[in-house]
Amino acid sequence: MNWTWDLRGRDGGMNGLDFCRALTAGGFSRVLVHAAPARLAVRVTADDDTVVARGDADRDGDYSPVTLLELTDGGLRRSEVWPDESHLGLPVLLPGGEVGVLLRWEHAPDRSWWRWAVEFSNHRGRPADWAPEGQSLQR
């Protein structure tokens, strides 16, 4: 089963602004978000419109270029991260709705620069839980 991740910035306009509507395979308890808004509303739904999780996930602390969203008993936990080995293989949701998989990440000790690699793949028809052969994912 696929999941749809609706992320909406809660700043700007009366109802906020769309940030990302992304499709992933189901069952991911953790995803990364690039350049997430400080005030974020999140709704995750399954193919049958069942709500997997929903809630507000606001930044608490310093900015980082990557946010980790974790599903916890129907709720959400947000943390600003500088990815390490434990984050490789996680989906990365990008503004606008593209989704890739984090392959590599490195950054300066003072966090003045970072370099990363994300792999993108897709399939016509969007079969549930599809992944290309050999792709290493974390759920």
Side-chain angles (χ1 to χ4, degrees), residues 2-127:
N2 291 323
W3 285 358
T4 300
W5 297 74
D6 284 307
L7 280 61
R8 189 169 185 80
R10 293 194 348 264
D11 290 325
M14 186 172 102
N15 296 313
L17 298 170
D18 284 333
F19 175 76
C20 172
R21 182 177 169 89
L23 185 71
T24 69
F28 285 104
S29 61
R30 303 184 310 154
V31 298
L32 301 169
V33 181
H34 175 61
R39 295 174 24 97
L40 188 64
V42 179
R43 183 171 186 250
V44 182
T45 53
D47 284 337
D48 62 2
D49 289 329
T50 302
V51 175
V52 175
R54 107 180 319 152
D56 292 338
D58 295 344
R59 182 181 307 136
D60 182 22
D62 293 336
Y63 169 83
S64 97
V66 178
T67 296
L68 175 65
L69 292 179
E70 298 177 274
L71 304 184
T72 58
D73 299 321
L76 297 161
R77 180 174 41 234
R78 174 185 178 151
S79 50
E80 306 310 307
V81 298
W82 289 83
D84 59 30
E85 294 289 320
S86 70
H87 300 106
L88 300 182
L90 289 177
V92 180
L93 312 183
L94 299 173
E98 290 293 332
V99 180
V101 175
L102 184 64
L103 298 180
R104 289 187 313 279
W105 179 278
E106 64 178 303
H107 62 268
D110 67 358
R111 298 180 175 166
S112 61
W113 62 263
W114 54 93
R115 176 173 43 202
W116 55 323
V118 179
E119 178 183 62
F120 296 92
S121 57
N122 213 332
H123 190 294
R124 287 186 296 190
R126 298 181 178 165

